[in-house]
Amino acid sequence: MANKIIVKNASMSFGKLKVLDNISFSVKENEFISIIGPSGCGKTTLLHLIQGFTKQTKGFIKTHGKKGFVFQDHNLFPWKTIQENIEIRNNTKQKIDVILENVGLKPFSDYYPSQVSEGMKQRAGIGRCLAYNSDVILMDEPFGSLDYLTKLKVQEFLTKLWKKKGLTIIFVTHDIDEAIRLSGKIIVLSKLPAKILKIIDVDKSKSNIIKKEVLDLIQNDSDPK
Amino acid sequence: MKNKKPIYLFLLILFVLIVWQFSGLVFNLNKTLYPTPTNVFTAIFESENLFLDLQTSILRLIFGSLIGILFGVLLGIITGHFSSINETFGKFINFFRFIPPLALVPLFLLWFGIGEFSKVGLLAWTCFFPVWISSHNGVKNLENKYLLVAKSLNIKGFDFIREVLFKGSIDYILNGTRIGVGIAFSVLIAAEMIGAYAGMGYRIFFLQSVYRVDKMMGYIIILGILGIIIDRLFLLISKKITPWKNGE
């Protein structure tokens, strides 16, 4: 399968602060990759570089396909209804109806973001990417603020959507269980300046072993030498 | 308890009217200089020019305000979003903000004559600055996350200005408009007193010269009522334009 995203020797600094150090990995079409690491290690920065919000100070990042970004706080425009937010970059009415059905928000299409739940807002954020015809979706801790049951429901929805649409997803999270549940591969980042500690292929039958491995990697990295 | 509030206001107004009506009798006041409420209301109904004067002033206010709002919003979006333009052009325009509009009345009359252009122009000038500043602040304070969303969806050009910058700052714009129109209203009356042949301000000044205090007070009360109506209209329009805030 073709590579949708190639990151080669990417480093990022903000002034004197080096955030990312020599990051290299690739993501194939229809892969679901999670990026995990300690808080503040640069996961969001890496995602922003891939999206193109900012440019890396060194190295090379190339993406194929149309990128969509799902933000940590959904970032729906408060002055637009759910439907208007989703269709902002797509004017095909029929397709919007289908997308609203797909994300389970058709009954709430005329509601404003302030009138719906956090889980619905996140689904609307995903719907917005689908309406934009994104085949590569970057997700920055999208379910962090949801309660456990809502999180499970939205995760299930995302998994079904990923399989149905053949999407390529990079998913940033600090929740190891979530990473194992959703993805086929986990990239473990170190503390600042972030390097890749390991890229782990996920075997869901060995989730406990993988979880321990990830925890050990992060723990060993954070222990003072 | 909530429903009783309008009654208290009505009773207060009634009390003031009664005191005013009878103070003329009690203190034996000169009716020409200190007319009673009944004198004033009778005078209002006798005013043949009232409708024309109201219409003239309101039309001047509408046209002047619309021009001021249009330019204020346009420039506010530009200076709010492009800091380089704000550092030069914005700061240059800002100097004129501190010139009191009424100081420009004699100049506008000399340049543009006593016709409508001078008054509409002055109102546009007056309304422009509060709208510009509010629009500028609205765009400047727009959270960066919305700009990132626009970038991620490749929203550019006029779509970006309309859907993100303008609509995202609408409550600031409305606030600035409300202030701008309010100030323009005061300036209008003063400008009409100095250079006009019709309008509420012109008529009040004229009535002073013929000692018709009763009609003057009638016009002044109507101006107050008009001001309240304009303000309430703004609140209604704001509520209609920003329905997402109604649930907050």
Side-chain angles (χ1 to χ4, degrees):
Chain A
M1 269 189 282
N3 281 327
K4 278 290 197 181
I5 297 168
I6 300 169
V7 178
K8 204 169 160 68
N9 305 122
S11 295
M12 184 67 188
S13 298
F14 295 104
K16 287 183 181 170
L17 177 68
K18 194 169 193 178
V19 177
L20 299 171
D21 186 12
N22 205 26
I23 303 280
S24 293
F25 66 92
S26 60
V27 182
K28 289 192 173 22
E29 191 177 352
N30 200 215
E31 275 197 305
F32 194 135
I33 307 268
S34 285
I35 297 177
I36 204 160
S39 280
C41 76
K43 303 185 291 291
T44 298
T45 303
L46 178 57
L47 222 56
H48 280 204
L49 290 178
I50 297 169
Q51 174 62 36
F53 289 148
T54 188
K55 196 161 161 49
Q56 65 279 2
T57 40
K58 274 185 194 172
F60 166 87
I61 295 176
K62 191 163 176 68
T63 53
H64 300 275
K66 211 167 184 185
K67 291 167 288 193
F69 201 102
V70 180
F71 295 81
Q72 198 166 11
D73 294 321
H74 59 79
N75 288 7
L76 298 177
F77 294 130
W79 54 87
K80 289 185 172 297
T81 62
I82 295 295
Q83 177 162 340
E84 287 167 351
N85 265 287
I86 291 174
E87 69 183 2
I88 188 167
R89 286 296 281 165
N90 188 304
N91 290 322
T92 309
K93 193 179 187 298
Q94 192 172 3
K95 193 178 178 203
I96 293 302
D97 281 347
V98 168
I99 291 167
L100 282 165
E101 290 281 2
N102 278 340
V103 297
L105 291 174
K106 188 111 185 5
F108 304 95
S109 56
D110 291 333
Y111 284 51
Y112 286 93
S114 59
Q115 296 168 317
V116 300
S117 69
E118 289 303 312
M120 289 177 184
K121 287 176 204 172
Q122 283 299 18
R123 280 190 272 146
I126 295 166
R128 186 166 60 188
C129 292
L130 295 177
Y132 187 48
N133 274 326
S134 305
D135 52 339
V136 176
I137 299 190
L138 310 174
M139 305 181 83
D140 186 9
E141 297 193 58
F143 309 146
S145 59
L146 304 181
D147 64 84
Y148 182 71
L149 283 173
T150 308
K151 197 189 280 200
L152 284 180
K153 278 187 195 161
V154 189
Q155 284 170 350
E156 193 188 319
F157 153 78
L158 178 64
T159 305
K160 280 183 186 162
L161 205 62
W162 165 61
K163 286 175 184 167
K164 184 177 170 185
K165 298 280 180 190
L167 302 168
T168 305
I169 295 180
I170 298 187
F171 189 94
V172 162
T173 181
H174 59 266
D175 184 336
I176 303 172
D177 292 314
E178 183 174 56
I180 293 169
R181 193 178 305 124
L182 294 176
S183 42
K185 210 175 267 186
I186 297 176
I187 297 174
V188 185
L189 295 182
S190 69
K191 62 181 192 284
L192 272 184
K195 297 180 177 54
I196 292 181
L197 293 174
K198 195 170 182 179
I199 299 178
I200 302 170
D201 287 317
V202 175
D203 179 350
K204 297 207 194 320
S205 64
K206 295 176 183 164
S207 54
N208 285 337
I209 298 169
I210 293 172
K211 184 172 178 176
K212 189 177 180 312
E213 186 180 359
V214 173
L215 280 169
D216 286 343
L217 280 165
I218 293 172
Q219 183 72 43
N220 293 337
D221 180 61
S222 65
D223 283 342
K225 294 185 173 82
Chain B
M1 198 63 192
K2 211 176 171 181
N3 291 331
K4 285 187 183 173
K5 281 181 185 171
I7 295 175
Y8 287 137
L9 180 63
F10 174 74
L11 286 173
L12 177 63
I13 295 169
L14 197 61
F15 175 74
V16 167
L17 286 172
I18 292 168
V19 168
W20 177 12
Q21 180 72 29
F22 287 102
S23 60
L25 285 167
V26 169
F27 297 106
N28 198 25
L29 296 171
N30 182 329
K31 265 196 334 188
T32 305
L33 275 179
Y34 305 103
T36 60
T38 45
N39 296 143
V40 170
F41 292 126
T42 311
I44 291 173
F45 286 109
E46 283 173 0
S47 300
E48 305 150 335
N49 301 303
L50 178 60
F51 182 74
L52 176 68
D53 289 330
L54 255 178
Q55 184 187 39
T56 306
S57 293
I58 289 170
L59 283 174
R60 282 174 184 153
L61 186 65
I62 289 171
F63 283 114
S65 300
L66 281 175
I67 295 168
I69 291 164
L70 177 69
F71 283 98
V73 170
L74 277 172
L75 191 68
I77 288 174
I78 292 169
T79 57
H81 189 61
F82 298 103
S83 52
S84 52
I85 295 178
N86 185 47
E87 284 304 306
T88 49
F89 192 65
K91 289 198 167 161
F92 173 72
I93 295 287
N94 197 45
F95 161 75
F96 297 98
R97 184 162 70 96
F98 295 100
I99 300 173
L102 287 175
L104 295 171
V105 172
L107 191 66
F108 272 50
L109 286 174
L110 278 173
W111 279 352
F112 307 119
I114 210 165
E116 294 310 311
F117 196 87
S118 56
K119 279 161 285 294
V120 170
L122 187 68
L123 293 179
W125 173 282
T126 307
C127 195
F128 165 81
F129 289 102
V131 175
W132 167 48
I133 291 296
S134 292
S135 306
H136 171 97
N137 288 337
V139 170
K140 207 118 183 89
N141 290 329
L142 200 56
E143 292 182 71
N144 191 52
K145 59 183 183 180
Y146 300 128
L147 303 180
L148 283 180
V149 170
K151 203 170 176 183
S152 75
L153 294 170
N154 206 30
I155 302 173
K156 286 178 186 170
F158 187 68
D159 283 346
F160 174 67
I161 291 170
R162 188 187 62 226
E163 296 299 325
V164 183
L165 296 184
F166 176 69
K167 290 185 183 178
S169 322
I170 197 74
D171 43 355
Y172 278 80
I173 291 169
L174 285 170
N175 205 41
T177 301
R178 195 175 168 202
I179 294 168
V181 171
I183 300 171
F185 187 47
S186 321
V187 168
L188 166 69
I189 302 306
E192 284 178 344
M193 284 180 181
I194 297 166
Y197 290 124
M200 298 293 282
Y202 160 77
R203 194 66 58 194
I204 290 170
F205 200 63
F206 171 77
L207 290 168
Q208 181 226 10
S209 67
V210 295
Y211 288 90
R212 285 303 304 266
V213 179
D214 53 349
K215 279 193 178 180
M216 268 177 71
M217 290 182 76
Y219 266 66
I220 288 166
I221 288 169
I222 288 168
L223 279 178
I225 295 169
L226 182 62
I228 290 174
I229 292 171
I230 291 171
D231 198 61
R232 285 289 173 269
L233 215 62
F234 257 108
L235 287 173
L236 243 127
I237 293 169
S238 294
K239 253 189 161 175
K240 205 86 182 134
I241 294 177
T242 58
W244 63 90
K245 286 187 162 288
N246 295 340
E248 285 175 3

